[in-house]
Amino acid sequence: MGTLTGTLPLPAFGSRVAVKTRVDYQNSQEGALVRRAQSGDEAAFREIVEHYQSKVFSIIHGIVRQRNDVEDIAQQVFAKVYFSIRNFDFRSSLITWIYKITVNECFDYLRKKKVRKLVYESDLSEDEVRRVENTEPSVDRQAPADETLARRDYVLKLLSRVSEEERTLLLLKEVEGRSVEELAQMTGMNENTIKVKLFRARQKLVKAAQRLDRAPGLVAG
Amino acid sequence: MHQVILDRLEEYLSGSPSSREFTTHLESCEECRAEVQEMKELSGALSALRAPEEITPSLGFYAQVARRVEAQRPRSPWSWVWLEPAFGKRVAFASLMSLVVLGSYLITRETEYSAGPPRPEAIMAQQAPADNPDMILATLASYEP
Ligand SMILES: [Zn+2]
């Protein structure tokens, strides 16, 4: 397939780039490392962990901010990497794939934390809940003193309304500062596809923001 | 949103200088202007998710990951024998030893049985009707050596 697309003139410029990237990547040093990890080589897996652990820590820290939980989430991310590396198909780069797992794990953590909080609160009487609300600074119910925290909370709510792929693309573009060209290389998609996907994701964010501003209580979370 | 804006939207949101075509269209098209404005605001808001500072993973981080992997590894009834080679070898050796002991015991018993005349309870068991356990019990109870 690689040779065919390499020699035949293709109408879409982007798809030729994608195939080329995929073939190159598989033959790269990192591609070889991934293949070793896929065959169960523990040293290769360790190399992957040690190479990407700092990056994973900073992604998690940016989204979750709970310093104490960062390491725990990071462990879970690499456990997921370990168990699913066999499914890695070289369509995207390894860091894009790890990035997606990390972001998903963060949102999973935030969702579970919210459920835990609701369960905890439901065990209290109405009076007790009111007392907790008045004494505990809760990001969900009161305007937090820290403006940055409020913005973060707001953005996380919006991002929970888009698909995993859209979330990953938006974060790679806005938080990691990757260009459309880089995103195309990282994901194996063509630049036009990236633009359209980002545009749809942004449209969803705008709509979610409008709903949230209109009825904060209904969309919150 | 019109194509001319869609094509250059990402560049514009990254802060790259926009083309004249882009700015001219934005000035004349109310619909695109409103949408781009909203997207620009949200694009700015997303930067709140940048990590405030570097966190250095602890030195033993890989060991913790390895422990978690072991804890989450799906286990079939037999997989543990091969998971940890040293432990597996010990288990295999222990099983072999029990087989040897059991085998030699059975051989000794076999020799005991075959030596000398057949014992009466064995003969009675053979003669008793298989479908009536009470009969066997009665016969055994009435046996006096
Ligand atoms: Zn327009």
Side-chain angles (χ1 to χ4, degrees):
Chain A
M1 185 191 161
T3 37
L4 269 181
T5 42
T7 49
L8 288 174
L10 282 170
F13 168 74
S15 60
R16 189 165 51 206
V17 170
V19 170
K20 188 174 174 287
T21 308
R22 189 174 171 182
V23 173
D24 286 354
Y25 182 62
Q26 249 175 320
N27 296 329
S28 70
Q29 212 181 336
E30 191 174 82
L33 183 67
V34 172
R35 272 200 305 277
R36 272 172 54 211
Q38 285 177 327
S39 65
D41 182 339
E42 192 140 322
F45 173 64
R46 184 179 188 145
E47 222 174 293
I48 290 172
V49 173
E50 283 168 356
H51 192 260
Y52 289 112
Q53 56 185 19
S54 295
K55 183 70 220 165
V56 165
F57 268 64
S58 89
I59 299 164
I60 299 169
H61 190 36
I63 298 174
V64 168
R65 293 294 160 101
Q66 301 287 324
R67 242 195 122 106
N68 297 338
D69 295 335
V70 171
E71 186 145 335
D72 185 56
I73 301 170
Q75 283 176 27
Q76 191 52 31
V77 166
F78 284 111
K80 285 244 165 93
V81 167
Y82 181 89
F83 288 115
S84 45
I85 191 104
R86 274 168 206 274
N87 304 330
F88 178 73
D89 56 6
F90 297 91
R91 230 176 268 175
S92 70
S93 68
L94 184 62
I95 184 57
T96 314
W97 186 70
I98 294 178
Y99 194 92
K100 193 173 160 190
I101 293 176
T102 308
V103 172
N104 286 349
E105 209 49 52
C106 288
F107 275 81
D108 206 40
Y109 162 89
L110 292 170
R111 193 180 45 77
K112 280 183 191 153
K113 201 175 145 197
K114 188 167 176 268
V115 172
R116 271 203 305 275
K117 196 177 159 232
L118 285 175
V119 168
Y120 166 74
E121 282 176 1
S122 68
D123 283 335
L124 301 173
S125 71
E126 270 186 23
D127 274 354
E128 283 170 323
V129 171
R130 227 169 286 139
R131 216 175 304 140
V132 169
E133 280 175 11
N134 291 335
T135 50
E136 261 187 9
S138 163
V139 198
D140 290 335
R141 291 163 194 278
Q142 286 168 235
D146 190 342
E147 187 60 31
T148 328
L149 272 182
R151 245 158 67 108
R152 234 192 81 253
D153 197 53
Y154 179 74
V155 167
L156 287 173
K157 274 176 194 164
L158 297 183
L159 281 174
S160 68
R161 306 272 172 255
V162 301
S163 74
E164 285 177 13
E165 188 191 42
E166 289 168 330
R167 204 182 291 155
T168 308
L169 285 175
L170 280 169
L171 291 176
L172 281 169
K173 177 87 193 332
E174 299 291 351
V175 176
E176 304 296 318
R178 302 297 186 137
S179 67
V180 169
E181 192 187 349
E182 283 173 316
L183 287 178
Q185 268 173 11
M186 290 170 83
T187 58
M189 293 186 258
N190 72 51
E191 290 183 26
N192 266 332
T193 310
I194 297 284
K195 280 184 193 172
V196 171
K197 279 180 188 284
L198 277 172
F199 173 68
R200 288 199 190 127
R202 291 184 193 283
Q203 269 187 321
K204 283 190 193 171
L205 284 192
V206 169
K207 278 195 188 119
Q210 285 166 351
R211 277 200 299 268
L212 194 60
D213 295 343
R214 236 180 288 137
L218 289 175
V219 196
Chain B
M1 186 175 285
H2 293 105
Q3 193 63 37
V4 57
I5 299 299
L6 182 56
D7 282 343
R8 299 295 176 99
L9 178 68
E10 292 305 325
E11 276 172 44
Y12 172 76
L13 293 175
S14 322
S16 308
S18 32
S19 68
R20 237 190 48 190
E21 207 186 354
F22 184 91
T23 34
T24 322
H25 182 90
L26 264 200
E27 278 161 19
S28 60
C29 179
E30 169 114 39
E31 187 200 325
C32 282
R33 196 164 57 236
E35 206 172 2
V36 167
Q37 184 52 38
E38 281 174 312
M39 287 180 178
K40 195 179 177 185
E41 275 165 27
L42 288 177
S43 162
L46 280 164
S47 62
L49 299 185
R50 284 184 195 141
E53 78 255 325
E54 285 273 309
I55 299 185
T56 316
S58 61
L59 278 176
F61 180 69
Y62 178 75
Q64 289 171 328
V65 172
R67 258 199 298 278
R68 190 171 285 224
V69 164
E70 279 315 310
Q72 291 180 5
R73 210 187 275 278
R75 271 144 212 257
S76 77
W78 299 105
S79 64
W80 53 272
V81 175
W82 289 278
L83 280 180
E84 290 176 61
F87 182 62
K89 267 180 216 158
R90 280 201 298 274
V91 170
F93 181 71
S95 317
L96 192 68
M97 285 314 285
S98 357
L99 274 178
V100 170
V101 171
L102 185 68
S104 51
Y105 171 74
L106 285 175
I107 288 166
T108 323
R109 290 274 301 199
E110 196 62 30
T111 324
E112 273 173 18
Y113 271 122
S114 53
R119 297 212 298 217
E121 63 263 41
I123 297 168
M124 283 187 289
Q126 276 169 11
Q127 285 164 346
D131 56 345
N132 192 344
D134 291 346
M135 188 75 162
I136 302 175
L137 283 176
T139 324
L140 283 174
S142 61
Y143 169 71
E144 281 172 65

